[in-house]
Amino acid sequence: MAERIIIEGGIPVRGEVQVSGAKNAALPLMAASLLAPGELALENIPDLVDVKTMIGLLEHLGVRCEQEKRLILDSSQADGWEAPYELVKTMRASVLVLGPLLARFGRAKVSQPGGCAIGARPINRHLAGLEAMGASVTLDHGYVVVESDGLVGAEVVFEAPTVTGTENLMMAAVLADGTTSLINAAREPEVVGLAEALNKMGARISGAGTGIITIEGTTTLSPVNYRVMPDRIETGTYLIAAGVTGGDVKVNGCVPSYHRALIERLEKANVRIEEGEDWLRAIGDNPVGAVDVRTDPYPGFPTDMQAQFMVLMTLSEGLCTITESIFEQRFMHVPELCRMGADITLSERRAVIRGVRKLSGAQVMATDLRASASLVLAGLAAGDGVTEISRVYHLDRGYESMVEKFSSLGARIWRASE
Ligand code: EPZ
């Protein structure tokens, strides 16, 4: 049954929330279970639809998955090497099994991930890297078939950073013969987390977090226990909620050093930020300043925070621009925000936002994960009228218990079936 989220906005959200495990760290770590027979135990796995989808895909490949407090993944009996269309079409991150399957079994057949709401999102850089390591790549009726009789270490230069491309190649390289260098690699914390886990499993990876990652191939990896890092996009979303409602939110269990670019922009927008060892607090008690933003690969301003930050800018005093440099059409939230009274004009990859005094509640539709989060933020900020958000399945892919967490911060928000 499709569900809606209903919000009576205009209430400053106040209090503390505990951030959940990071979706974009958990997914590659789960795929890495294919590299090492035995039980990989992952802690702090978030309860998300995308995690359930990845479990379904890994079980299809023969990985035994058990989830009590920890998620246990045992690939000892894994023998599948095909990721079918009906699974991949619901989650592009399925492509993350490509590298591990190739490394473990010498072959992989993965449905070519289609485009999605935010862009074409090709995987050409993933495939070029695997070919550089000696794999043969063919396209067969919508499937990518990759085969190799033994991957060989190579120098792979990415024309531009790709997060899952870096993760896929890293996982392919750990069992390759020789040394692989990934040049112009993604520097996201989730990439560093994957490298850390693989090194605990016996891999020899250095440079993760920099633009050059070196992987010395080894023969076997053994599974370990590993704790998934906190979700930095969820953290940023709750901090911005304080800014858009004039509230005061403390996010516990996060890593402040992951948030330098966001904090710098929030402070420039007059949102006050306090920081502790494992917590961040945002206080929105000043008029919001208009601040230009351009999304960039980490450590730049995260594209996954663009839609959320835009909501704050719709309530700023003045004019600003948001430039989306990573994806070619990540502005699906704009028309919906305009229906709530925002003043935003688009051209190519740039949004020009003229601040308005207030947003109004409306019936709106979610189109992708982060756009749906921005509609929740807009609903929380909208002082007059009720906001009803449809297609909230997008939200459930990447935010654990969002309605409960915002309710605990005093918001009037609840779910209803369509
Ligand atoms: C990861 O996607 C994240 N997903 C995305 O988060 C995030 O928005 C993105 O990185 C950018 O930070 C996961 O980690 C599971 P990319 P990914 O490859 O790896 C182009 C969310 O909301 N490109 O870094 O797919 C691509 O089209 C999701 O949690 C190629 O052209 O992103 C895009 O324009 C959304 N060819 C840019 O590079 C390739 O082979 C960056 O993409 C690969 C990418």
Side-chain angles (χ1 to χ4, degrees):
M1 168 73 78
E3 290 197 305
R4 283 171 300 147
I5 283 181
I6 297 168
I7 303 170
E8 284 177 6
I11 302 166
V13 290
R14 287 203 173 85
E16 303 194 15
V17 285
Q18 179 70 30
V19 67
S20 302
K23 168 176 83 79
N24 292 350
L27 296 175
L29 287 166
M30 291 166 71
S33 64
L34 288 162
L35 290 167
E39 291 194 350
L40 173 66
L42 296 177
E43 293 172 31
N44 198 30
I45 289 278
D47 177 16
L48 300 171
V49 167
D50 274 10
V51 167
K52 292 181 174 58
T53 302
M54 182 60 92
I55 288 174
L57 171 56
L58 292 172
E59 285 178 335
H60 176 84
L61 297 170
V63 179
R64 177 175 59 81
C65 301
E66 279 168 34
Q67 185 158 21
E68 284 88 29
K69 191 145 175 38
R70 300 180 306 171
L71 173 60
I72 309 286
L73 304 117
D74 181 347
S75 69
S76 308
Q77 311 304 320
D79 56 2
W81 50 284
E82 181 172 336
Y85 172 74
E86 60 274 4
L87 285 174
V88 175
K89 75 172 192 284
T90 61
M91 183 183 68
R92 308 176 38 75
S94 307
V95 75
L96 281 165
V97 299
L98 199 53
L101 284 174
L102 195 55
R104 172 87 180 268
F105 299 122
R107 58 184 181 166
K109 181 176 180 182
V110 178
S111 168
Q112 181 123 12
C116 76
I118 63 179
R121 300 181 74 181
I123 58 168
N124 57 311
R125 295 177 208 156
H126 301 233
L127 302 178
L130 295 174
E131 282 178 321
M133 296 176 70
S136 72
V137 173
T138 48
L139 298 186
D140 171 21
H141 296 88
Y143 279 78
V144 175
V145 181
V146 192
E147 291 170 302
S148 127
D149 49 13
L151 292 172
V152 177
E155 180 171 279
V156 175
V157 182
F158 290 114
E159 59 184 299
T162 157
V163 175
T164 50
T166 300
E167 292 165 344
N168 240 333
L169 269 297
M170 197 195 286
M171 291 190 280
V174 291
L175 294 177
D177 176 16
T179 300
T180 299
S181 305
L182 305 180
I183 317 284
N184 206 10
R187 299 167 53 185
E188 272 71 3
E190 294 76 21
V191 172
V192 177
L194 177 62
E196 216 171 66
L198 290 171
N199 281 343
K200 256 188 98 176
M201 292 163 72
R204 291 199 294 273
I205 302 169
S206 54
T210 75
I212 298 180
I213 301 178
T214 304
I215 304 109
E216 284 177 58
T218 181
T219 49
T220 52
L221 295 180
S222 46
V224 295
N225 290 8
Y226 190 77
R227 181 172 176 78
V228 175
M229 69 177 58
D231 193 311
R232 60 195 170 89
I233 306 304
E234 183 193 19
T235 299
T237 304
Y238 285 97
L239 295 176
I240 290 185
V244 300
T245 61
D248 179 343
V249 174
K250 181 168 180 275
V251 180
N252 294 319
C254 63
V255 180
S257 63
Y258 291 167
H259 299 272
R260 292 294 161 233
L262 174 65
I263 290 171
E264 189 272 338
R265 291 287 93 184
L266 284 175
E267 289 182 326
K268 204 159 164 48
N270 301 329
V271 176
R272 288 193 298 120
I273 300 290
E274 292 175 6
E275 172 175 336
E277 192 189 320
D278 64 351
W279 59 266
L280 283 166
R281 181 181 174 196
I283 303 141
D285 54 2
N286 296 320
V288 177
V291 171
D292 293 340
V293 160
R294 172 195 154 93
T295 63
D296 278 309
Y298 192 88
F301 189 96
T303 174
D304 290 349
M305 286 304 306
Q306 179 256 106
Q308 299 93 311
F309 194 82
M310 186 181 284
V311 180
L312 184 66
M313 290 301 102
T314 66
L315 294 165
S316 65
E317 294 186 330
L319 194 69
C320 68
T321 61
I322 293 186
T323 305
E324 173 53 63
S325 80
I326 307 289
F327 290 106
E328 63 268 28
Q329 62 177 42
R330 198 171 197 171
F331 285 135
M332 306 288 279
H333 44 286
V334 170
E336 298 305 294
L337 294 176
C338 291
R339 296 182 57 248
M340 297 177 73
D343 179 349
I344 309 168
T345 47
L346 287 182
S347 65
E348 287 298 311
R349 293 196 178 198
R350 171 162 301 178
V352 177
I353 300 123
R354 184 180 301 281
V356 293
R357 245 180 0 86
K358 66 178 176 64
L359 295 176
S360 308
Q363 288 177 304
V364 290
M365 186 176 75
T367 50
D368 58 272
L369 172 56
R370 305 305 172 183
S372 44
S374 76
L375 296 178
V376 171
L377 293 176
L380 293 172
D384 72 336
V386 175
T387 298
E388 288 190 25
I389 304 168
S390 61
R391 302 194 179 180
V392 292
Y393 55 84
H394 289 293
L395 201 70
D396 297 334
R397 294 189 49 184
Y399 285 94
E400 185 178 77
S401 314
M402 182 179 248
V403 169
E404 293 76 7
K405 289 188 181 184
F406 273 125
S407 298
S408 74
L409 294 173
R412 288 188 50 70
I413 178 172
W414 56 93
R415 294 177 91 102
S417 50
E418 292 268 21

